[in-house]
């Protein structure tokens, strides 16, 4: 499955027509429950290290996609499953969702980005609490802590994700890419450097056909027809 996901993300990266990526599970009650611990027992330390590194690489690759990614979460998102959701730009969950990073209960830590992405998303103190205790939280608490963007009725996460993707798809595709770049790169540095990143991204949009189309559509009181050029 890991290899299939990697192949899918690589194909998306090369597809200039792609605008939004959505990740969901077709398994009822489970978004992704993480590693198979029965298999993990049979693996040597070096095999585990290689496997976790491949997970970390894939999630970082997914995170670095230039277009928005949305995780539509129903049911359990645990361990590596939550780490995958954390690598997405947006998270929408059904009220039946359950989240957790239980690794410390197995005498390890989240190793595919969990310690870093969770802290950046919900803050250092909340991240430490959830990782130190390994406790699971429900959808309402996840929304309250900022772990997910939107919580909807169970079974409706996919529909809400499609609705959000359609809203994003109506906007200028180059602008969406530059907005993601400005936010992701800017947040990792100080304000002055972040503003420089924002300026650079803004300048890349000044001479685009889409910018002129947006102004024309506004003046003519119609919906813009963006082409990504």
């Amino acid at each position: 499955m890991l290899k299939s996901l990697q192949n899918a993300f690589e194909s998306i990266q090369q597809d200039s027509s792609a605008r939004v990526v959505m990740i969901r599970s077709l398994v009822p009650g489970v978004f992704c429950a993480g590693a198979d611990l029965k298999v993990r027992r049979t693996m040597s330390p070096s095999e585990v290290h290689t496997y976790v590194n491949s997970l970390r690489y894939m999630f970082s690759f997914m995170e670095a996609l230039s277009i928005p990614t949305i995780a539509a979460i129903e049911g359990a998102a645990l361990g590596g499953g939550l780490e995958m959701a954390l690598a997405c730009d947006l998270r929408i969950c059904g009220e039946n969702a359950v989240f957790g990073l239980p690794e410390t209960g197995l005498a390890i830590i989240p190793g595919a980005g969990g310690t870093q992405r969770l802290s950046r998303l919900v803050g250092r103190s909340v991240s430490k609490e959830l990782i130190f205790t390994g406790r699971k939280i429900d959808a309402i608490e996840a929304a309250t802590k900022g772990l997910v963007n939107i919580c909807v009725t169970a079974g409706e996460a996919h529909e809400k994700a499609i609705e959000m993707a359609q809203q994003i798809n109506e906007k200028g595709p180059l602008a969406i890419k530059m907005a993601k770049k400005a936010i992701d790169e800017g947040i990792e540095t100080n304000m002055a450097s972040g503003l420089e990143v924002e300026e650079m991204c803004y300048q890349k949009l000044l001479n685009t056909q889409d910018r002129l189309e947006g102004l024309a559509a506004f003046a003519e009181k119609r919906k813009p027809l963006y082409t990504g050029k």
Side-chain angles (χ1 to χ4, degrees):
M1 186 181 74
L2 189 62
K3 185 62 177 175
S4 295
L5 281 171
Q6 182 66 40
N7 290 339
F9 293 137
E10 289 174 354
S11 296
I12 290 166
Q13 185 187 45
Q14 297 169 6
D15 184 357
S16 60
S17 68
R19 295 288 182 264
V20 184
V21 180
M22 183 178 66
I23 300 173
R24 66 164 176 153
S25 169
L26 296 181
V27 179
V30 180
F31 172 73
C32 182
D36 185 335
L37 298 183
K38 292 180 180 177
V39 174
R40 184 64 62 85
R41 286 189 64 188
T42 68
M43 298 170 69
S44 68
S46 63
E47 289 173 328
V48 173
H49 182 256
T50 298
Y51 174 74
V52 173
N53 276 352
S54 66
L55 272 180
R56 189 183 302 113
Y57 170 81
M58 188 191 73
F59 294 161
S60 294
F61 186 95
M62 179 176 70
E63 183 179 47
L65 289 173
S66 63
I67 59 178
T69 53
I70 305 173
I73 304 163
E74 299 281 359
L78 303 173
L82 177 52
E83 289 180 300
M84 178 163 62
L86 289 171
C88 292
D89 295 306
L90 305 168
R91 284 155 295 282
I92 298 172
C93 75
E95 60 187 3
N96 65 334
V98 178
F99 303 88
L101 292 173
E103 285 86 352
T104 53
L106 298 169
I108 55 173
I109 66 171
T115 63
Q116 302 307 302
R117 294 190 178 97
L118 184 63
S119 300
R120 284 164 169 77
L121 186 63
V122 302
R124 186 183 303 182
S125 181
V126 172
S127 180
K128 285 178 177 179
E129 179 217 337
L130 294 178
I131 291 174
F132 290 175
T133 65
R135 74 180 181 90
K136 299 175 184 177
I137 62 173
D138 61 21
I140 300 301
E141 185 174 357
T144 300
K145 291 185 183 301
L147 181 56
V148 298
N149 297 85
I150 300 173
C151 177
V152 297
T153 302
E156 295 183 3
H158 174 242
E159 181 181 346
K160 187 65 178 179
I162 290 291
E163 178 186 324
M164 184 175 288
Q166 290 172 336
Q167 291 174 339
I168 294 171
N169 202 40
E170 293 173 355
K171 308 303 185 290
L174 294 178
I176 294 295
K177 288 181 178 180
M178 287 299 101
K180 176 172 177 173
K181 181 180 179 68
I183 294 167
D184 285 351
E185 293 186 10
I187 200 69
E188 297 296 337
T189 185
N190 58 49
M191 178 63 77
S193 298
L195 289 172
E196 290 178 2
V197 173
E198 181 183 79
E199 180 185 6
M200 177 193 69
C201 291
Y202 195 101
Q203 284 184 323
K204 288 186 177 181
L205 300 169
L206 287 176
N207 296 315
T208 63
Q209 294 176 21
D210 279 351
R211 188 181 76 87
L212 298 178
E213 166 63 13
L215 292 172
F218 178 80
E220 297 165 13
K221 297 181 179 180
R222 61 172 175 82
K223 283 190 173 183
L225 298 173
Y226 294 126
T227 61
K229 297 180 181 179

